[in-house]
């Protein structure tokens, strides 16, 4: 009996397990951002309440109490969370497996969707690996609900934007979108619905019927999605109406919505994984010197350099070149992800005009915020990068799987040109490092509250290493394509080689970004659970030790995460089953916001 999952699909999952192996067997635990201080204690608490009550409805430990199922990110109804957190493992270890399972799912679902679009099996596996191991998807381990969304997204969107051989595309798509909502990511479902409706509308206006999906199929999928996720959908909708974001002033909502806008200069990460240096464990991120760089959503959007061959070699055949639906999705999603980097921002920085105006003016995100109903309650433009990664993965697979191949001389010219360019950049950076006296920055001129002073020379060294990585990757991809065009290997052999190179390339690039540490429970305070009290968290100045800002330490991640746990930062109080009045939650109610506004006025 033939397996429904081809063996080539297991290459990326093996790599994913190796990448997170330190955390899968109780040795270390995942750190950095929300996976540590927010979701690990939250899912521990949901596990505890579920084991006692079956279906817990109310959480008395956050603020003055809130509906547990009203917060979508609790994933109370999500079957995979319930199943995995029922296993007899430590919560930290279970969280690591939860992350790995969904990264593997992202690889499988993207590969499956590609095959249903008519892409051959080994090439579809390439698309699955490229999507799941891309920086955009892989780094979502720091935000599990959005990783759940990424894992189900290919099954949610492909049946409704590309004609497939599926018998019931609406049922598959609806099931996937329902799982995304139950898993805590309704926003990506809303984004997917926007793209699906936009694609259908454009095809209708342009009278294009190629690969089109009937409107009734899309409508049925949306109705089924609501029905399948009804308990979570209704409670989340009701609780979101209490959100402070809904009642805030327009300027406040717009400012919050623009957070994590994707800076256009970070497109360089499509060519090399670490184009600007790292943020942790030491502060080497040189892009922070660029005004407006902002907070990072993902440290890199790198997904290999094979896409560059696909793009530029396609341009050599302009007569047959046209923008497909996936090309349109990639371009539109990328423009939306720019957020406040709109046309007005470009005019402000290029010509110094329109100062004081909304920098996002004229951009797609700005237009959707102001004119698309419901969009103004969402935030973080960088979430649209997920669609960019998926679309590029499918574009590369469709390009490689087409019957008409490209000229080997074009492959050779492009590959050599890239190698020369990168070699020149490596040489230039090496000269800068050797003449470090030219970089005359005062000590402490740029610091981070966690990772300390910016190390410019360290950043340049990381960029040089990243460029070297890209040189090796380009050589591997280019050589394989050249051999294919020369007839020295068949398409099946070439696709298997490219699959191996994609996995090695992206796993090596991802390794520095997986933050984990060994936690010693003896160093944290313990509070007797029989003590009844309501804690009010306070802070002095920034709330973090000054030594963190003023010094560098390669082991800082362990110190930061342990301190967060000890101080109940985020939702660590849930792990100790203690109520905290002013803690971090997914949605802060308008009443709590009003309370703190009144307190500020009284104590001024």
């Amino acid at each position: 009996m033939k397996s429904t999952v081809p063996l080539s699909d297991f290459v990326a999952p093996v790599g994913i397990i190796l990448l997170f192996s330190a955390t899968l067997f109780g040795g270390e635990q995942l750190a950095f951002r929300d996976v540590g201080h927010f979701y690990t204690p939250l899912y521990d608490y949901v596990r505890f309440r579920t084991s006692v009550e079956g279906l817990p409805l109310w959480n008395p430990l956050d603020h003055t109490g809130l509906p547990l199922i009203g917060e979508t990110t609790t994933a109370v109804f999500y079957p995979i969370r319930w199943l995995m957190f029922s296993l007899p493992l430590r919560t930290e270890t279970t969280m690591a497996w939860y992350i790995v399972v969904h990264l593997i799912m992202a690889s499988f679902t993207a590969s499956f969707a590609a095959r249903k679009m008519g892409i051959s099996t080994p090439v579809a596996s390439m698309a699955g690996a490229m999507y799941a191991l891309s920086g955009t998807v892989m780094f979502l381990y720091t935000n599990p609900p959005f990783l759940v969304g990424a894992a189900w997204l290919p099954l949610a969107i492909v049946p409704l934007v590309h004609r497939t051989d599926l018998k019931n595309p609406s049922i598959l798509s609806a099931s996937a979108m329902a799982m995304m909502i139950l898993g805590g990511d309704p926003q990506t479902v809303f984004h997917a619905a926007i793209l699906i409706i936009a694609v259908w509308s454009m095809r209708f206006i342009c009278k294009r019927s190629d690969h089109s999906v009937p409107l009734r199929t899309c409508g049925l999928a949306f109705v089924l999605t609501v029905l399948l996720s009804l308990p979570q959908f209704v409670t989340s909708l009701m609780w979101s109406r209490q959100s402070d974001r809904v009642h805030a002033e327009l300027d406040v909502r717009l400012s919050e919505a623009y957070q994590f806008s994707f800076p256009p200069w970070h497109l360089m990460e499509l060519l090399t994984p670490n184009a600007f240096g790292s943020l942790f464990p030491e502060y080497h991120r040189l892009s922070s010197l660029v005004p407006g760089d902002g907070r990072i959503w993902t440290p890199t959007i790198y997904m290999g350099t094979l896409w560059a061959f696909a793009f530029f070699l396609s341009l050599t055949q302009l007569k047959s070149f046209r923008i497909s639906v996936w090309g349109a999705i990639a371009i539109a999603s990328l423009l939306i992800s720019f957020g406040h980097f709109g046309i007005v921002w470009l005019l402000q920085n290029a010509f110094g005009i329109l100062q004081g105006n909304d920098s996002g003016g004229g951009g797609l995100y700005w237009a959707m915020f102001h004119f698309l109903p419901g969009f103004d309650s969402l935030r973080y433009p960088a979430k649209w990068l997920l669609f960019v990664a998926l679309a590029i993965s499918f574009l590369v697979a469709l390009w490689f799987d087409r019957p008409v191949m490209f000229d080997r001389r074009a492959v050779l010219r492009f590959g050599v040109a890239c190698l020369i360019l990168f070699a020149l950049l490596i040489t230039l950076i090496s000269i800068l490092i050797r003449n470090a006296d030219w970089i005359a920055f005062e000590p402490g001129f740029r610091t981070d509250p966690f990772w300390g002073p910016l190390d410019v020379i360290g950043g340049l060294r990381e960029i040089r290493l990243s460029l070297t990585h890209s040189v090796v990757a380009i050589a591997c991809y280019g050589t394989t394509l050249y051999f294919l065009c020369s007839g020295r290997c068949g398409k099946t052999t070439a696709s298997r080689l490219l699959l191996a190179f994609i996995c090695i390339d992206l796993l090596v690039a991802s390794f520095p970004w997986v933050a984990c540490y060994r936690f010693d429970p003896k160093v944290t305070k313990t509070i007797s659970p029989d003590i009844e009290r309501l804690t009010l968290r306070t802070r002095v100045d920034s709330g973090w030790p000054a030594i963190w800002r003023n010094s560098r330490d390669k082991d800082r991640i362990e110190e930061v995460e342990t301190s967060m746990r000890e101080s109940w930062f985020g939702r660590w109080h849930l792990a100790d089953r203690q109520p905290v009045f002013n803690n971090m939650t997914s949605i802060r109610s308008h009443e709590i916001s009003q309370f703190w506004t009144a307190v500020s006025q009284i104590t001024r």
Side-chain angles (χ1 to χ4, degrees):
M1 181 177 178
K2 187 176 180 181
S3 173
T4 56
V5 181
L7 290 176
S8 57
D9 274 7
F10 288 93
V11 177
V14 170
I16 291 169
I17 291 174
L18 291 175
L19 184 64
F20 288 88
S21 58
T23 65
L24 296 178
F25 305 100
E28 298 184 357
Q29 65 187 64
L30 293 171
F32 193 70
R33 205 170 279 171
D34 292 352
V35 70
H37 63 256
F38 196 95
Y39 289 107
T40 296
L42 175 61
Y43 287 178
D44 177 75
Y45 180 62
V46 174
R47 186 220 304 247
F48 165 72
R49 292 287 303 279
T50 303
S51 65
V52 174
E53 304 172 37
L55 182 60
L57 301 178
W58 185 257
N59 172 14
L61 302 184
D62 285 320
H63 299 303
T64 55
L66 52 84
L68 190 64
I69 60 175
E71 277 193 286
T72 312
T73 54
T74 57
V76 172
F77 294 109
Y78 184 47
I80 296 180
R81 187 216 57 79
W82 182 89
L83 177 63
M84 295 195 65
F85 281 86
S86 297
L87 299 174
L89 298 172
R90 292 176 60 242
T91 300
E92 293 81 0
T93 304
T94 307
M95 178 60 80
W97 280 106
Y98 188 74
I99 296 298
V100 166
V101 164
H102 283 92
L103 283 172
I104 292 174
M105 284 178 56
S107 175
F108 281 160
T109 56
S111 177
F112 174 82
R115 290 198 302 273
K116 291 303 176 181
M117 288 193 296
I119 298 173
S120 62
T121 295
V123 181
S125 299
M126 288 168 45
M130 190 177 299
Y131 173 66
L133 294 174
S134 66
T136 302
V137 176
M138 188 284 302
F139 197 69
L140 287 177
Y141 84 84
T142 62
N143 218 318
F146 300 129
L147 179 58
V148 171
W152 291 101
L153 180 62
L155 300 184
I157 193 171
V158 169
L160 300 185
V161 301
H162 197 289
R163 189 179 293 275
T164 65
D165 59 359
L166 292 166
K167 293 182 179 179
N168 298 295
S170 57
I171 294 178
L172 178 62
S173 178
S175 300
M177 287 191 283
M179 287 296 151
M180 294 164 71
I181 293 173
L182 297 178
D185 190 14
Q187 183 168 339
T188 300
V189 175
F190 188 34
H191 290 171
I194 292 172
L195 286 178
I196 291 166
I197 294 172
V199 168
W200 190 92
S201 300
M202 291 304 298
R203 281 174 170 162
F204 178 79
I205 294 172
C206 300
K207 298 181 179 180
R208 291 274 299 274
S209 60
D210 54 320
H211 302 298
S212 61
V213 178
L215 178 61
R216 64 178 180 274
T217 301
C218 300
L220 179 60
F222 294 148
V223 172
L224 288 175
T225 298
V226 175
L227 293 177
L228 290 172
S229 61
L230 193 60
Q232 186 68 73
F233 183 87
V234 172
T235 53
S236 298
L237 184 63
M238 293 175 64
W239 181 238
S240 65
R241 291 177 179 174
Q242 307 283 341
S243 173
D244 182 42
R245 299 179 211 163
V246 175
H247 299 276
E249 297 294 332
L250 177 63
D251 292 343
V252 175
R253 286 188 285 118
L254 186 59
S255 175
E256 290 186 357
Y258 278 153
Q259 292 293 318
F260 291 107
S261 294
F262 181 68
W265 50 89
H266 280 270
L267 287 173
M268 292 175 61
E269 293 162 3
L270 284 173
L271 293 175
T272 191
N274 199 356
F276 298 98
S278 62
L279 177 63
F280 64 87
E282 293 185 279
Y283 190 21
H284 296 161
R285 195 165 181 82
L286 302 188
S287 62
S288 62
L289 298 173
V290 182
D293 190 67
R295 301 164 65 189
I296 64 166
W297 179 255
T298 175
T300 181
I301 60 171
Y302 184 68
M303 51 192 310
T305 52
L306 183 59
W307 75 270
F309 282 95
F311 177 73
F312 288 104
L313 293 177
S314 296
L315 292 180
T316 63
Q317 300 176 344
L318 288 176
K319 292 182 179 180
S320 60
F321 179 79
R322 68 174 184 174
I323 297 179
S324 66
V325 62
W326 295 110
I329 288 175
I331 294 171
S333 300
L334 184 62
L335 292 175
I336 296 172
S337 73
F338 288 159
H340 77 81
F341 297 100
I343 295 176
V344 172
W345 172 85
L346 184 62
L347 295 174
Q348 288 172 340
N349 288 271
F351 304 104
I353 60 176
L354 299 179
Q355 301 297 327
N357 290 276
D358 182 358
S359 62
L364 277 180
Y365 193 89
W366 170 86
M368 294 168 71
F369 181 91
H370 286 283
F371 303 110
L372 184 63
F375 196 83
D376 59 345
S377 63
L378 306 179
R379 57 180 180 175
Y380 302 166
K383 291 180 180 179
W384 284 87
L385 292 173
L386 191 60
F387 296 90
V388 178
L390 183 63
I392 290 178
S393 299
F394 287 155
L395 284 171
V396 172
L398 289 166
W399 165 79
F400 186 79
D401 209 40
R402 65 183 181 177
V404 179
M405 291 303 293
F406 31 82
D407 185 6
R408 62 180 180 179
R409 288 173 294 182
V411 175
L412 184 62
R413 285 195 297 267
F414 178 71
V416 171
C418 288
L419 292 176
I420 292 175
L421 174 62
F422 279 73
L424 291 174
L425 290 174
I426 292 171
T427 303
L428 176 61
I429 292 175
S430 298
I431 293 173
L432 289 174
I433 293 174
R434 290 172 184 171
N435 297 272
D437 293 340
W438 294 0
I439 307 175
F441 293 125
E442 296 181 2
F445 79 103
R446 181 71 57 128
T447 62
D448 184 89
F450 296 110
W451 317 116
L454 176 65
D455 181 1
V456 177
I457 301 302
L460 290 174
R461 290 195 179 100
E462 287 188 355
I463 295 171
R464 182 176 61 181
L465 181 62
S466 178
L467 291 170
T468 304
H469 173 106
S470 296
V471 166
V472 175
I474 289 171
C476 292
Y477 295 135
T479 301
T480 304
L481 294 174
Y482 182 80
F483 283 171
L484 175 62
C485 297
S486 303
R488 299 183 186 181
C489 68
K491 201 163 189 177
T492 301
T493 302
S495 61
R496 289 173 178 170
L497 284 173
L498 289 175
L499 173 60
F501 289 146
I502 288 170
C503 291
I504 295 172
D505 178 12
L506 297 181
L507 287 170
V508 172
S510 299
F511 180 77
W513 302 115
V514 179
C516 53
Y517 72 105
R518 189 175 298 277
F519 171 68
D520 183 3
K522 296 179 181 179
V523 303
T524 61
K525 61 188 177 184
T526 57
I527 297 180
S528 175
D530 59 354
I531 297 178
E532 295 184 1
R533 59 178 174 180
L534 180 63
T535 301
L536 180 70
R537 297 183 70 252
T538 60
R539 71 177 186 180
V540 178
D541 297 327
S542 66
W544 303 113
I547 192 173
W548 289 358
R549 178 180 292 275
N550 299 324
S551 65
R552 302 188 187 102
D553 187 353
K554 291 183 178 180
D555 297 323
R556 182 61 52 75
I557 187 74
E558 180 174 351
E559 186 177 357
V560 168
E561 292 293 330
T562 303
S563 298
M564 286 182 173
R565 187 162 189 164
E566 185 177 27
S567 63
W568 284 351
F569 180 79
R571 304 189 87 163
W572 274 119
H573 66 286
L574 294 177
D576 289 329
R577 314 292 187 253
Q578 294 296 313
V580 172
F581 181 71
N582 58 333
N583 65 290
M584 186 185 299
T585 55
S586 299
I587 297 177
R588 186 175 71 164
S589 70
H590 182 54
E591 287 75 10
I592 291 293
S593 176
Q594 286 182 312
F595 169 80
W596 285 114
T597 300
V599 168
S600 298
Q601 293 174 349
I602 293 171
T603 60
R604 187 173 297 167

